[in-house]
Amino acid sequence: VKLLFIGDVVGRPGRQAVQALVPRLRSELGLDYVVANGENSAGGAGITSKTAAELFAAGVDVITTGDHVWDQKEAAQLLETEPRVLRPLNYPPGVPGRGSCLVRQEGKPPLAVINAQGRTFMPALENPFLLVPPEVERLRQETPIILVDFHAEATSEKIAFGRLLDGRVSAVIGTHTHVPTADEQIFPGGTAYLTDAGFTGPQESVLGREIAPVLRRFLTQCPQRFEVARNRVMLLGALIEVDPATGRAVSIRRIAEPWAVESAP
Amino acid sequence: VKLLFIGDVVGRPGRQAVQALVPRLRSELGLDYVVANGENSAGGAGITSKTAAELFAAGVDVITTGDHVWDQKEAAQLLETEPRVLRPLNYPPGVPGRGSCLVRQEGKPPLAVINAQGRTFMPALENPFLLVPPEVERLRQETPIILVDFHAEATSEKIAFGRLLDGRVSAVIGTHTHVPTADEQIFPGGTAYLTDAGFTGPQESVLGREIAPVLRRFLTQCPQRFEVARNRVMLLGALIEVDPATGRAVSIRRIAEPWAVESAP
Amino acid sequence: VKLLFIGDVVGRPGRQAVQALVPRLRSELGLDYVVANGENSAGGAGITSKTAAELFAAGVDVITTGDHVWDQKEAAQLLETEPRVLRPLNYPPGVPGRGSCLVRQEGKPPLAVINAQGRTFMPALENPFLLVPPEVERLRQETPIILVDFHAEATSEKIAFGRLLDGRVSAVIGTHTHVPTADEQIFPGGTAYLTDAGFTGPQESVLGREIAPVLRRFLTQCPQRFEVARNRVMLLGALIEVDPATGRAVSIRRIAEPWAVESAP
Amino acid sequence: VKLLFIGDVVGRPGRQAVQALVPRLRSELGLDYVVANGENSAGGAGITSKTAAELFAAGVDVITTGDHVWDQKEAAQLLETEPRVLRPLNYPPGVPGRGSCLVRQEGKPPLAVINAQGRTFMPALENPFLLVPPEVERLRQETPIILVDFHAEATSEKIAFGRLLDGRVSAVIGTHTHVPTADEQIFPGGTAYLTDAGFTGPQESVLGREIAPVLRRFLTQCPQRFEVARNRVMLLGALIEVDPATGRAVSIRRIAEPWAVESAP
Ligand SMILES: [Fe+2]
Ligand SMILES: [Fe+2]
Ligand SMILES: [Fe+2]
Ligand SMILES: [Fe+2]
Ligand SMILES: [Fe+2]
Ligand SMILES: [Fe+2]
Ligand SMILES: [Fe+2]
Ligand SMILES: [Fe+2]
């Protein structure tokens, strides 16, 4: 089974790259499932039913999110009505939305996706190290093919989380830092791991935003308006091949597909 | 001019990898200068005159450090007596040590090295965005070949810092997260950039430390003893080629050299 | 010389308390100068020319601020045109506004006010421990009566800052936590000190905001709308008496004046 | 029922103040129970069986702790063998020790004590807002007299936590900042509240430590040795009177008892 994970889709350039590239990658790479992090899909901050619909229309099967999930007001309703849009599992009880889902394309083995968030240098959600393992056990009753998007800042927490799940899930892919890491590997227990998938959007930027205002922020510590940038748009992510019988990863490699030198303003 | 930058050298396995590999890489790659971050060279935390001497003996020209620089008591004396061991430039006035140096191998153009530290999710040092540019100007009087080790946590701060210096230095290489990033590039102004060089040491680990205690830390939030790990020792870093006339980077590529499957206990 | 310092004025209830109580306190206590922190005077977040004008009309001589200073768009213009509204001194060069001022009521010795901000658990401004002492020296050429509002979170940083300035200024009063502390004292060098002045506004609240949404925030980690609360409105601050010849504090006591059981919605 | 809560006891001077003053206060104030936070009782950092024994011998009934609980190696064993020494309740499952206990002096109604820790600007323990309410319900089966030590940094979290428990416990007293707050009050539901009790030890200090090294720390950002200070030793805390039939607080007042101008080195 071949899974494509797409790192944080940033704004319209990011969505356009997904729309343009996913159909082609689907056939070229023989993809079975596509999962994308959409926490920045709406203007760079948050997600709306419109931006989610665009990603689904492009062939994305499941959308994960992260700390920016609530940035757009309609997120709560989207999360309650669309089971394929996830928010981190480790929000406290009573919060709208789900942290995992099961999808099933006809003629293919089902895929489970879990979305969780780290806590180092991030808000104090519930403990993902305690909450995710039982969720994995529950989902393994349904399928051995499980992909985890761990949205976190600190490399130590991300690697430790990947090691915790080694042998229990097919892949743990990190998101949130928007910079792709070069540590893709298969852990001894058979879990594919990558600390961060990078982001999908304009790479001539600071994490997808125009460079000048971010620089002014660091130079002045005063608030700035951070517009989504436009140039060198790429789709970044990871391709994971999984043995459908065991759920073990067979291979993982980074994906970095250019889409446009310059996107429309 | 060919520069090898080596990411945070962790403990004895890291030092052994440097000792074994740098002489070979020096001739194989035709290296002119080698710079290594040594903040974790002593037992995984800090630096001593002994570990610095080992790195110099292996062919390292300049050692940079970071937030762990003071972990070993003798660091202050080392910094005061050895100008080739740097600490972040942006400590307040009066702190022992230097944040930059100039080295000159016979028959080669001189190299300037600057070491600075970020402040996002890190201690409140002085402002590197304000302090480093004038230091760059000062050093450019001596040489156009300038390498900056920016020791920082947050990707936004690292990229913004690289963009700030674009066109003024030959390379900005990030350290501290211990995970190599896959975003090596030459910015439009001619500065080579990499968000993090990764670390040199046992990769079968969490950032160089044994996996089990780090996992226990995240599972219990109680202090654990973090021993340096032993397996899959690699040297990670970046190779930058610089035009000696202009100081502009010509190329940058990541380096990941295996040394040992298992190091001695 | 008698100085009244008023802790963070929160929203309309806070401004109303200042308007109602300051004229009375001025005569009852024989006040010479009144300084108020206004960073929350506009709807609980930020300051506008209108809210500043209301505080000045009530008899406030100088307004200090803090991390919320930029929350309202017009703040930059206000800071550039009104020298009696301060922002923390330790913003980087080039930022609009000033961090200190000198005021002079007819027939009274002049008062200097300095506003600075801490960095522990707060944004990485420039170093107040390095920047404030020379500013104190500069102002001492004009007057020995100097009041410092140190806007900071951590008690260790606030106390250390107060000790740093002991003997050089008349008073160091902390703000930002919105909870009054009971450690008012005169340090050995003659500087009056209080870790936090508390806030002026509705005390039946969490730091001036309605209780229920703040509780929901801690229970869900989801964003909530934090309205300014309405009940048990009080003016909190400190009264400092200073020897005009030496600038040494003679006494300091906390002020907690009730204004309204319930303010209008 | 009269309860004395004693804020963080710092080092030998703090223990000596407890030993000298608690017996006298017990009779003078007619105390029924004494609870003290002991997280800094051993040399300023952590707790040992010896320092716990000294506090118990002085008449302390229950010792609470906080983030420094593990600073001394023997803490885990002490917590496992001495049920009257608590650690924050909201450590993950499997961690040594307990977060609550029930004590019963002959002829008096029993007292339950809960120790919990905040998470804002602190380690990511489990969620106290979710874990403490069921523990309160459990203890209310035994006694309506319940005292909570909430060890936390941020005033918003402390007040919100107090409001959460209003009407369910007799008192919520904050610790950790080492600075006493002046906001003692009885919430509408009958719960006595104080944001911070301050610390017991040498007040001529920064939070109990010598002033000069802390100042050097802020001036240099380099590590310093923080010795426990010696002068102006005081016992700080709060006296709470509780209606034994209902568990509602009848009164709360701050306690600040001088012990020594200068303690032995
Ligand atoms: Fe994120
Ligand atoms: Fe993101
Ligand atoms: Fe580091
Ligand atoms: Fe390091
Ligand atoms: Fe503030
Ligand atoms: Fe405020
Ligand atoms: Fe503490
Ligand atoms: Fe403490």
Side-chain angles (χ1 to χ4, degrees), chain C residues 33-62:
Chain C
Y33 289 105
V34 178
V35 177
N37 186 302
E39 72 151 6
N40 307 107
S41 59
I47 185 166
T48 64
S49 52
K50 176 181 165 293
T51 63
E54 283 184 37
L55 297 179
F56 285 133
V60 170
D61 296 291
V62 176

PDB file of all heavy atoms in Angstrom, chain C residues 33-62:
ATOM      1  N   TYR C  33       1.886  63.432  42.178  1.00  0.00           N
ATOM      2  CA  TYR C  33       1.893  62.861  40.829  1.00  0.00           C
ATOM      3  C   TYR C  33       1.138  61.534  40.823  1.00  0.00           C
ATOM      4  O   TYR C  33       1.147  60.795  41.807  1.00  0.00           O
ATOM      5  CB  TYR C  33       3.330  62.618  40.342  1.00  0.00           C
ATOM      6  CG  TYR C  33       4.091  63.883  40.034  1.00  0.00           C
ATOM      7  CD1 TYR C  33       5.069  64.356  40.907  1.00  0.00           C
ATOM      8  CD2 TYR C  33       3.841  64.596  38.856  1.00  0.00           C
ATOM      9  CE1 TYR C  33       5.788  65.504  40.611  1.00  0.00           C
ATOM     10  CE2 TYR C  33       4.549  65.755  38.564  1.00  0.00           C
ATOM     11  CZ  TYR C  33       5.516  66.208  39.442  1.00  0.00           C
ATOM     12  OH  TYR C  33       6.211  67.352  39.142  1.00  0.00           O
ATOM     13  N   VAL C  34       0.517  61.261  39.696  1.00  0.00           N
ATOM     14  CA  VAL C  34      -0.193  59.987  39.519  1.00  0.00           C
ATOM     15  C   VAL C  34       0.302  59.334  38.231  1.00  0.00           C
ATOM     16  O   VAL C  34       0.306  59.961  37.168  1.00  0.00           O
ATOM     17  CB  VAL C  34      -1.717  60.202  39.442  1.00  0.00           C
ATOM     18  CG1 VAL C  34      -2.434  58.873  39.215  1.00  0.00           C
ATOM     19  CG2 VAL C  34      -2.225  60.883  40.710  1.00  0.00           C
ATOM     20  N   VAL C  35       0.708  58.095  38.331  1.00  0.00           N
ATOM     21  CA  VAL C  35       1.158  57.306  37.177  1.00  0.00           C
ATOM     22  C   VAL C  35       0.280  56.065  37.110  1.00  0.00           C
ATOM     23  O   VAL C  35       0.019  55.431  38.138  1.00  0.00           O
ATOM     24  CB  VAL C  35       2.640  56.898  37.331  1.00  0.00           C
ATOM     25  CG1 VAL C  35       3.091  56.025  36.167  1.00  0.00           C
ATOM     26  CG2 VAL C  35       3.522  58.138  37.463  1.00  0.00           C
ATOM     27  N   ALA C  36      -0.204  55.732  35.907  1.00  0.00           N
ATOM     28  CA  ALA C  36      -1.059  54.555  35.763  1.00  0.00           C
ATOM     29  C   ALA C  36      -0.590  53.707  34.600  1.00  0.00           C
ATOM     30  O   ALA C  36      -0.204  54.227  33.551  1.00  0.00           O
ATOM     31  CB  ALA C  36      -2.509  54.984  35.537  1.00  0.00           C
ATOM     32  N   ASN C  37      -0.648  52.379  34.761  1.00  0.00           N
ATOM     33  CA  ASN C  37      -0.378  51.483  33.640  1.00  0.00           C
ATOM     34  C   ASN C  37      -1.665  51.337  32.836  1.00  0.00           C
ATOM     35  O   ASN C  37      -2.689  50.899  33.360  1.00  0.00           O
ATOM     36  CB  ASN C  37       0.126  50.129  34.127  1.00  0.00           C
ATOM     37  CG  ASN C  37       0.543  49.245  32.954  1.00  0.00           C
ATOM     38  OD1 ASN C  37      -0.260  48.966  32.073  1.00  0.00           O
ATOM     39  ND2 ASN C  37       1.800  48.838  32.932  1.00  0.00           N
ATOM     40  N   GLY C  38      -1.602  51.676  31.540  1.00  0.00           N
ATOM     41  CA  GLY C  38      -2.801  51.688  30.718  1.00  0.00           C
ATOM     42  C   GLY C  38      -2.816  50.646  29.619  1.00  0.00           C
ATOM     43  O   GLY C  38      -3.610  50.761  28.686  1.00  0.00           O
ATOM     44  N   GLU C  39      -2.016  49.589  29.737  1.00  0.00           N
ATOM     45  CA  GLU C  39      -1.900  48.647  28.608  1.00  0.00           C
ATOM     46  C   GLU C  39      -3.184  47.879  28.332  1.00  0.00           C
ATOM     47  O   GLU C  39      -3.337  47.307  27.259  1.00  0.00           O
ATOM     48  CB  GLU C  39      -0.740  47.663  28.839  1.00  0.00           C
ATOM     49  CG  GLU C  39      -1.019  46.638  29.909  1.00  0.00           C
ATOM     50  CD  GLU C  39      -0.272  45.309  29.691  1.00  0.00           C
ATOM     51  OE1 GLU C  39       0.555  45.196  28.780  1.00  0.00           O
ATOM     52  OE2 GLU C  39      -0.546  44.368  30.450  1.00  0.00           O
ATOM     53  N   ASN C  40      -4.093  47.841  29.324  1.00  0.00           N
ATOM     54  CA  ASN C  40      -5.366  47.141  29.115  1.00  0.00           C
ATOM     55  C   ASN C  40      -6.544  48.094  29.137  1.00  0.00           C
ATOM     56  O   ASN C  40      -7.694  47.684  29.339  1.00  0.00           O
ATOM     57  CB  ASN C  40      -5.580  46.080  30.207  1.00  0.00           C
ATOM     58  CG  ASN C  40      -4.429  45.133  30.363  1.00  0.00           C
ATOM     59  OD1 ASN C  40      -3.677  45.207  31.340  1.00  0.00           O
ATOM     60  ND2 ASN C  40      -4.258  44.254  29.406  1.00  0.00           N
ATOM     61  N   SER C  41      -6.291  49.391  28.900  1.00  0.00           N
ATOM     62  CA  SER C  41      -7.369  50.360  29.112  1.00  0.00           C
ATOM     63  C   SER C  41      -8.419  50.346  27.997  1.00  0.00           C
ATOM     64  O   SER C  41      -9.548  50.788  28.201  1.00  0.00           O
ATOM     65  CB  SER C  41      -6.788  51.772  29.278  1.00  0.00           C
ATOM     66  OG  SER C  41      -6.048  52.137  28.143  1.00  0.00           O
ATOM     67  N   ALA C  42      -8.071  49.817  26.832  1.00  0.00           N
ATOM     68  CA  ALA C  42      -9.027  49.803  25.714  1.00  0.00           C
ATOM     69  C   ALA C  42      -9.648  48.417  25.572  1.00  0.00           C
ATOM     70  O   ALA C  42      -9.054  47.508  24.996  1.00  0.00           O
ATOM     71  CB  ALA C  42      -8.321  50.200  24.423  1.00  0.00           C
ATOM     72  N   GLY C  43     -10.831  48.245  26.140  1.00  0.00           N
ATOM     73  CA  GLY C  43     -11.526  46.963  26.014  1.00  0.00           C
ATOM     74  C   GLY C  43     -10.767  45.805  26.618  1.00  0.00           C
ATOM     75  O   GLY C  43     -11.002  44.643  26.273  1.00  0.00           O
ATOM     76  N   GLY C  44      -9.823  46.101  27.494  1.00  0.00           N
ATOM     77  CA  GLY C  44      -9.065  45.036  28.138  1.00  0.00           C
ATOM     78  C   GLY C  44      -7.751  44.716  27.445  1.00  0.00           C
ATOM     79  O   GLY C  44      -6.925  44.000  27.996  1.00  0.00           O
ATOM     80  N   ALA C  45      -7.552  45.234  26.234  1.00  0.00           N
ATOM     81  CA  ALA C  45      -6.340  44.901  25.474  1.00  0.00           C
ATOM     82  C   ALA C  45      -5.873  46.105  24.684  1.00  0.00           C
ATOM     83  O   ALA C  45      -6.469  46.472  23.677  1.00  0.00           O
ATOM     84  CB  ALA C  45      -6.618  43.728  24.537  1.00  0.00           C
ATOM     85  N   GLY C  46      -4.809  46.727  25.135  1.00  0.00           N
ATOM     86  CA  GLY C  46      -4.241  47.846  24.395  1.00  0.00           C
ATOM     87  C   GLY C  46      -4.730  49.190  24.895  1.00  0.00           C
ATOM     88  O   GLY C  46      -5.430  49.285  25.921  1.00  0.00           O
ATOM     89  N   ILE C  47      -4.339  50.212  24.164  1.00  0.00           N
ATOM     90  CA  ILE C  47      -4.616  51.581  24.558  1.00  0.00           C
ATOM     91  C   ILE C  47      -4.899  52.390  23.298  1.00  0.00           C
ATOM     92  O   ILE C  47      -4.318  52.134  22.246  1.00  0.00           O
ATOM     93  CB  ILE C  47      -3.424  52.171  25.342  1.00  0.00           C
ATOM     94  CG1 ILE C  47      -3.742  53.561  25.882  1.00  0.00           C
ATOM     95  CG2 ILE C  47      -2.141  52.192  24.517  1.00  0.00           C
ATOM     96  CD1 ILE C  47      -2.745  54.038  26.928  1.00  0.00           C
ATOM     97  N   THR C  48      -5.827  53.361  23.406  1.00  0.00           N
ATOM     98  CA  THR C  48      -6.133  54.242  22.278  1.00  0.00           C
ATOM     99  C   THR C  48      -5.982  55.684  22.742  1.00  0.00           C
ATOM    100  O   THR C  48      -5.846  55.952  23.944  1.00  0.00           O
ATOM    101  CB  THR C  48      -7.572  54.026  21.792  1.00  0.00           C
ATOM    102  OG1 THR C  48      -8.471  54.404  22.848  1.00  0.00           O
ATOM    103  CG2 THR C  48      -7.837  52.578  21.404  1.00  0.00           C
ATOM    104  N   SER C  49      -6.038  56.613  21.785  1.00  0.00           N
ATOM    105  CA  SER C  49      -5.921  58.018  22.199  1.00  0.00           C
ATOM    106  C   SER C  49      -7.117  58.385  23.083  1.00  0.00           C
ATOM    107  O   SER C  49      -6.987  59.182  24.006  1.00  0.00           O
ATOM    108  CB  SER C  49      -5.814  58.924  20.976  1.00  0.00           C
ATOM    109  OG  SER C  49      -6.862  58.660  20.083  1.00  0.00           O
ATOM    110  N   LYS C  50      -8.270  57.761  22.832  1.00  0.00           N
ATOM    111  CA  LYS C  50      -9.443  58.046  23.653  1.00  0.00           C
ATOM    112  C   LYS C  50      -9.262  57.550  25.096  1.00  0.00           C
ATOM    113  O   LYS C  50      -9.525  58.286  26.058  1.00  0.00           O
ATOM    114  CB  LYS C  50     -10.673  57.372  23.035  1.00  0.00           C
ATOM    115  CG  LYS C  50     -11.954  57.515  23.837  1.00  0.00           C
ATOM    116  CD  LYS C  50     -13.115  56.791  23.140  1.00  0.00           C
ATOM    117  CE  LYS C  50     -14.293  56.603  24.097  1.00  0.00           C
ATOM    118  NZ  LYS C  50     -14.033  55.676  25.218  1.00  0.00           N
ATOM    119  N   THR C  51      -8.796  56.326  25.267  1.00  0.00           N
ATOM    120  CA  THR C  51      -8.673  55.825  26.640  1.00  0.00           C
ATOM    121  C   THR C  51      -7.535  56.554  27.366  1.00  0.00           C
ATOM    122  O   THR C  51      -7.620  56.792  28.573  1.00  0.00           O
ATOM    123  CB  THR C  51      -8.455  54.300  26.678  1.00  0.00           C
ATOM    124  OG1 THR C  51      -7.216  53.958  26.030  1.00  0.00           O
ATOM    125  CG2 THR C  51      -9.598  53.568  25.972  1.00  0.00           C
ATOM    126  N   ALA C  52      -6.493  56.908  26.625  1.00  0.00           N
ATOM    127  CA  ALA C  52      -5.417  57.682  27.249  1.00  0.00           C
ATOM    128  C   ALA C  52      -5.936  59.050  27.688  1.00  0.00           C
ATOM    129  O   ALA C  52      -5.650  59.517  28.804  1.00  0.00           O
ATOM    130  CB  ALA C  52      -4.236  57.840  26.276  1.00  0.00           C
ATOM    131  N   ALA C  53      -6.739  59.665  26.807  1.00  0.00           N
ATOM    132  CA  ALA C  53      -7.276  60.992  27.141  1.00  0.00           C
ATOM    133  C   ALA C  53      -8.144  60.918  28.400  1.00  0.00           C
ATOM    134  O   ALA C  53      -8.105  61.820  29.259  1.00  0.00           O
ATOM    135  CB  ALA C  53      -8.081  61.535  25.958  1.00  0.00           C
ATOM    136  N   GLU C  54      -8.928  59.864  28.535  1.00  0.00           N
ATOM    137  CA  GLU C  54      -9.762  59.719  29.729  1.00  0.00           C
ATOM    138  C   GLU C  54      -8.912  59.637  30.997  1.00  0.00           C
ATOM    139  O   GLU C  54      -9.247  60.213  32.025  1.00  0.00           O
ATOM    140  CB  GLU C  54     -10.638  58.469  29.615  1.00  0.00           C
ATOM    141  CG  GLU C  54     -11.840  58.660  28.703  1.00  0.00           C
ATOM    142  CD  GLU C  54     -12.736  57.421  28.699  1.00  0.00           C
ATOM    143  OE1 GLU C  54     -12.904  56.780  29.760  1.00  0.00           O
ATOM    144  OE2 GLU C  54     -13.231  57.091  27.610  1.00  0.00           O
ATOM    145  N   LEU C  55      -7.814  58.893  30.905  1.00  0.00           N
ATOM    146  CA  LEU C  55      -6.965  58.763  32.087  1.00  0.00           C
ATOM    147  C   LEU C  55      -6.280  60.088  32.417  1.00  0.00           C
ATOM    148  O   LEU C  55      -6.220  60.488  33.589  1.00  0.00           O
ATOM    149  CB  LEU C  55      -5.923  57.655  31.881  1.00  0.00           C
ATOM    150  CG  LEU C  55      -6.500  56.236  31.682  1.00  0.00           C
ATOM    151  CD1 LEU C  55      -5.374  55.226  31.457  1.00  0.00           C
ATOM    152  CD2 LEU C  55      -7.348  55.808  32.886  1.00  0.00           C
ATOM    153  N   PHE C  56      -5.809  60.782  31.385  1.00  0.00           N
ATOM    154  CA  PHE C  56      -5.185  62.089  31.638  1.00  0.00           C
ATOM    155  C   PHE C  56      -6.207  63.058  32.251  1.00  0.00           C
ATOM    156  O   PHE C  56      -5.906  63.800  33.192  1.00  0.00           O
ATOM    157  CB  PHE C  56      -4.614  62.678  30.340  1.00  0.00           C
ATOM    158  CG  PHE C  56      -3.341  62.013  29.884  1.00  0.00           C
ATOM    159  CD1 PHE C  56      -3.179  61.630  28.554  1.00  0.00           C
ATOM    160  CD2 PHE C  56      -2.301  61.771  30.773  1.00  0.00           C
ATOM    161  CE1 PHE C  56      -1.998  61.025  28.130  1.00  0.00           C
ATOM    162  CE2 PHE C  56      -1.115  61.160  30.355  1.00  0.00           C
ATOM    163  CZ  PHE C  56      -0.972  60.779  29.023  1.00  0.00           C
ATOM    164  N   ALA C  57      -7.442  63.038  31.702  1.00  0.00           N
ATOM    165  CA  ALA C  57      -8.473  63.942  32.213  1.00  0.00           C
ATOM    166  C   ALA C  57      -8.788  63.667  33.686  1.00  0.00           C
ATOM    167  O   ALA C  57      -9.178  64.566  34.441  1.00  0.00           O
ATOM    168  CB  ALA C  57      -9.744  63.815  31.368  1.00  0.00           C
ATOM    169  N   ALA C  58      -8.616  62.422  34.093  1.00  0.00           N
ATOM    170  CA  ALA C  58      -8.898  62.072  35.485  1.00  0.00           C
ATOM    171  C   ALA C  58      -7.782  62.518  36.422  1.00  0.00           C
ATOM    172  O   ALA C  58      -7.925  62.403  37.643  1.00  0.00           O
ATOM    173  CB  ALA C  58      -9.086  60.553  35.601  1.00  0.00           C
ATOM    174  N   GLY C  59      -6.660  62.984  35.850  1.00  0.00           N
ATOM    175  CA  GLY C  59      -5.591  63.455  36.708  1.00  0.00           C
ATOM    176  C   GLY C  59      -4.352  62.590  36.673  1.00  0.00           C
ATOM    177  O   GLY C  59      -3.439  62.769  37.486  1.00  0.00           O
ATOM    178  N   VAL C  60      -4.308  61.659  35.758  1.00  0.00           N
ATOM    179  CA  VAL C  60      -3.096  60.852  35.609  1.00  0.00           C
ATOM    180  C   VAL C  60      -2.048  61.704  34.890  1.00  0.00           C
ATOM    181  O   VAL C  60      -2.356  62.362  33.897  1.00  0.00           O
ATOM    182  CB  VAL C  60      -3.411  59.562  34.820  1.00  0.00           C
ATOM    183  CG1 VAL C  60      -2.129  58.828  34.441  1.00  0.00           C
ATOM    184  CG2 VAL C  60      -4.337  58.658  35.638  1.00  0.00           C
ATOM    185  N   ASP C  61      -0.813  61.657  35.361  1.00  0.00           N
ATOM    186  CA  ASP C  61       0.251  62.462  34.756  1.00  0.00           C
ATOM    187  C   ASP C  61       1.020  61.710  33.679  1.00  0.00           C
ATOM    188  O   ASP C  61       1.427  62.290  32.682  1.00  0.00           O
ATOM    189  CB  ASP C  61       1.241  62.924  35.841  1.00  0.00           C
ATOM    190  CG  ASP C  61       0.570  63.847  36.842  1.00  0.00           C
ATOM    191  OD1 ASP C  61       0.228  64.976  36.456  1.00  0.00           O
ATOM    192  OD2 ASP C  61       0.350  63.415  37.992  1.00  0.00           O
ATOM    193  N   VAL C  62       1.237  60.425  33.923  1.00  0.00           N
ATOM    194  CA  VAL C  62       1.996  59.607  32.977  1.00  0.00           C
ATOM    195  C   VAL C  62       1.328  58.244  32.876  1.00  0.00           C
ATOM    196  O   VAL C  62       0.869  57.690  33.888  1.00  0.00           O
ATOM    197  CB  VAL C  62       3.466  59.426  33.443  1.00  0.00           C
ATOM    198  CG1 VAL C  62       4.234  58.494  32.498  1.00  0.00           C
ATOM    199  CG2 VAL C  62       4.181  60.772  33.550  1.00  0.00           C
TER     200      VAL C  62
END
